[in-house]
Amino acid sequence: MNESAIGSRKAVDFRSDNVATISPEILRAIVAANTGSAAPYGADEHSRQLDERFSALFETIVKVFPVSTGTAANALSLSALTPPYGAVYCYEAAHIQTSEGGATEFFSGGAKLLLLQGSGFRFAAAALEQAIAVSGRGVRSRSQPSAVSVTQATEYGTVYRLDELRAIGSVARSGGLKFHMDGARFANALVALGCTPAEVTWRLGVDILSFGATKNGGMSADAIVVFDPSIVDDLAYRLRRAGQTWSKMRFAAAQLTAYVENDLFLVSARRANALASRIAEGVRNLPDAKLLAPVEANEVFLELPEAVIDRLIADAFLFYRRSPRLIRLVCRFDGSDDDADRFIVALRTHLARG
Ligand SMILES: Cc1ncc(COP(=O)(O)O)c(C=O)c1O
């Protein structure tokens, strides 16, 4: 069990999947890569194998660029899809809009994020189509439609269905937009949908993917996976210029290769998703406890009375309080059933007290 002491109590940590340990398999891969010399900046054998390994995984030729964070993956991917006067469409609560400090605007040289609404914490193709229709294409005073970005799994732990993505891809293609996917929790979405990486990306028109690993057992590397070869050269320059081309690239490549080897990424995501489902089941039908969103991946958003949240905090459960009555619990590959069960028991006890 992963617990740390807070005062005399044991904390159970649901703050984020970033609080997790590193998968032992990934640590071992770093150690195994730690022999002899290797060419720098991605010219090493580990990096070459990474392209091959991911091309096999995605069932098409891809180019993989390891990067240090999900924010770098998103912002630099999008910068390669839009001119500075372009518009990037995304859901109104997309991470690129709410939580990346304007990184997409910065790296694109000023492109504008245009926000779409929708139900289930995702937008529909019709909303994109409508927005493009009124965009003012060709009007010099208006940002020009250039790209669309979806988050899979979404910021609220829901998942786009394949037909939804196919429809978005089709609108993007007919509108001349490039299609980006923020897959910070890509593995969690794959497990939820039970589909292959190819089925949820390029086969539906996705041009470029931010492929998360850090939140699901990686140490310090996410990746950009490029399906559209016309993006590759431009992106390579942008990454170098942004300080995202590691000199000791072999250690990033080793992490990412280990992450997908023997389906580790899916095994880890399955575990995290199962814990979130366990909590969702445990709190379903409790009076005064309401799930804000269907629990489809590894996050649980729960509305509770303020006093109950205060008591859970006093019990040393760690989580983010999004508002006085709303908490977010994030489950991890290294979490335990016991963590989930202790939360459920505590919640039931506090709710019963009223
Ligand atoms: C959906 C989503 N995208 C991107 C990111 C960015 O990742 P990082 O914090 O590594 O920059 C996060 C991080 O929480 C996220 O939740």
Side-chain angles (χ1 to χ4, degrees), residues 53-78:
R53 184 68 194 83
F54 272 59
S55 294
L57 179 69
F58 281 91
E59 303 175 65
T60 189
I61 303 289
V62 299
K63 176 70 194 158
V64 184
F65 293 104
V67 290
S68 59
T69 65
T71 299
N74 285 341
L76 286 154
S77 294
L78 287 165

Side-chain angles (χ1 to χ4, degrees), residues 44-66 190 197-198 202 211 223 225 227 252-267:
D44 62 289
E45 191 54 23
H46 287 281
S47 301
R48 198 186 57 69
Q49 280 175 12
L50 184 64
D51 282 338
E52 280 174 17
R53 184 68 194 83
F54 272 59
S55 294
L57 179 69
F58 281 91
E59 303 175 65
T60 189
I61 303 289
V62 299
K63 176 70 194 158
V64 184
F65 293 104
L190 284 184
W202 62 273
F211 180 90
V225 179
F227 304 107
Q255 288 180 57
L256 291 162
T257 306
Y259 181 62
V260 299
E261 216 51 61
N262 300 318
D263 287 343
L264 176 64
F265 69 131
L266 300 179
V267 172

Side-chain angles (χ1 to χ4, degrees), residues 16-18 68-72 74 95-96 99-100 151 153-155 182-185 214-215 222 299 328:
S16 174
D17 26 22
N18 292 325
S68 59
T69 65
T71 299
N74 285 341
H95 202 267
I96 55 172
S99 310
E100 298 186 358
T151 310
T154 72
E155 289 75 7
D182 173 355
R185 297 187 179 84
T214 308
K215 294 180 191 311
D222 284 359
E299 297 185 83
R328 182 191 77 161

Side-chain angles (χ1 to χ4, degrees), residues 66-348:
V67 290
S68 59
T69 65
T71 299
N74 285 341
L76 286 154
S77 294
L78 287 165
S79 78
L81 306 186
T82 177
Y85 53 85
V88 176
Y89 295 94
C90 63
Y91 181 64
E92 59 183 344
H95 202 267
I96 55 172
Q97 155 69 8
T98 63
S99 310
E100 298 186 358
T104 296
E105 294 90 327
F106 175 72
F107 281 110
S108 66
K112 190 174 175 68
L113 297 184
L114 292 180
L115 309 183
L116 302 173
Q117 297 179 330
S119 58
F121 302 97
R122 50 198 194 267
F123 66 85
L128 176 63
E129 194 165 29
Q130 170 70 19
I132 295 171
V134 297
S135 63
R137 204 191 282 275
V139 179
R140 298 252 164 94
S141 56
R142 305 286 296 276
S143 300
Q144 294 300 296
S146 300
V148 58
S149 177
V150 297
T151 310
Q152 179 73 323
T154 72
E155 289 75 7
Y156 283 83
T158 57
V159 171
Y160 280 90
R161 306 300 186 266
L162 296 187
D163 57 338
E164 295 171 335
L165 291 172
R166 189 174 299 110
I168 291 170
S170 156
V171 170
R173 198 168 40 255
S174 48
L177 274 64
K178 295 284 189 191
F179 190 0
H180 165 254
M181 180 175 280
D182 173 355
R185 297 187 179 84
F186 185 66
N188 304 89
L190 284 184
V191 165
L193 290 170
C195 68
T196 66
E199 282 167 345
V200 76
T201 55
W202 62 273
R203 289 208 176 122
L204 304 173
V206 174
D207 296 300
I208 191 164
L209 167 71
S210 299
F211 180 90
T214 308
K215 294 180 191 311
N216 193 30
M219 187 184 88
S220 57
D222 284 359
I224 299 175
V225 179
V226 189
F227 304 107
D228 176 350
S230 72
I231 300 169
V232 169
D233 282 349
D234 176 66
L235 182 59
Y237 285 109
R238 289 174 183 276
L239 286 162
R240 186 68 171 111
R241 192 165 176 256
Q244 285 292 329
T245 309
W246 278 302
S247 56
K248 283 183 167 172
M249 190 69 88
R250 67 168 140 164
F251 297 108
Q255 288 180 57
L256 291 162
T257 306
Y259 181 62
V260 299
E261 216 51 61
N262 300 318
D263 287 343
L264 176 64
F265 69 131
L266 300 179
V267 172
S268 299
R270 207 165 278 129
R271 174 86 199 120
N273 286 12
L275 286 173
S277 298
R278 192 179 181 99
I279 293 176
E281 279 312 307
V283 307
R284 213 178 290 286
N285 301 326
L286 287 181
D288 289 330
K290 182 166 168 272
L291 291 170
L292 182 73
V295 176
E296 296 174 347
N298 64 324
E299 297 185 83
V300 181
F301 288 81
L302 200 51
E303 287 175 336
L304 297 169
E306 278 188 60
V308 170
I309 298 178
D310 292 340
R311 283 184 219 133
L312 289 168
I313 292 170
D315 281 348
F317 289 102
L318 303 179
F319 45 74
Y320 286 123
R321 192 172 193 162
R322 285 289 182 90
S323 73
R325 291 183 50 109
L326 177 66
I327 64 171
R328 182 191 77 161
L329 308 173
V330 187
C331 297
R332 318 184 307 263
F333 80 99
D334 62 353
S336 69
D337 289 353
D338 191 46
D339 292 346
D341 293 345
R342 280 168 60 183
F343 178 83
I344 295 163
V345 169
L347 178 60
R348 288 189 173 162

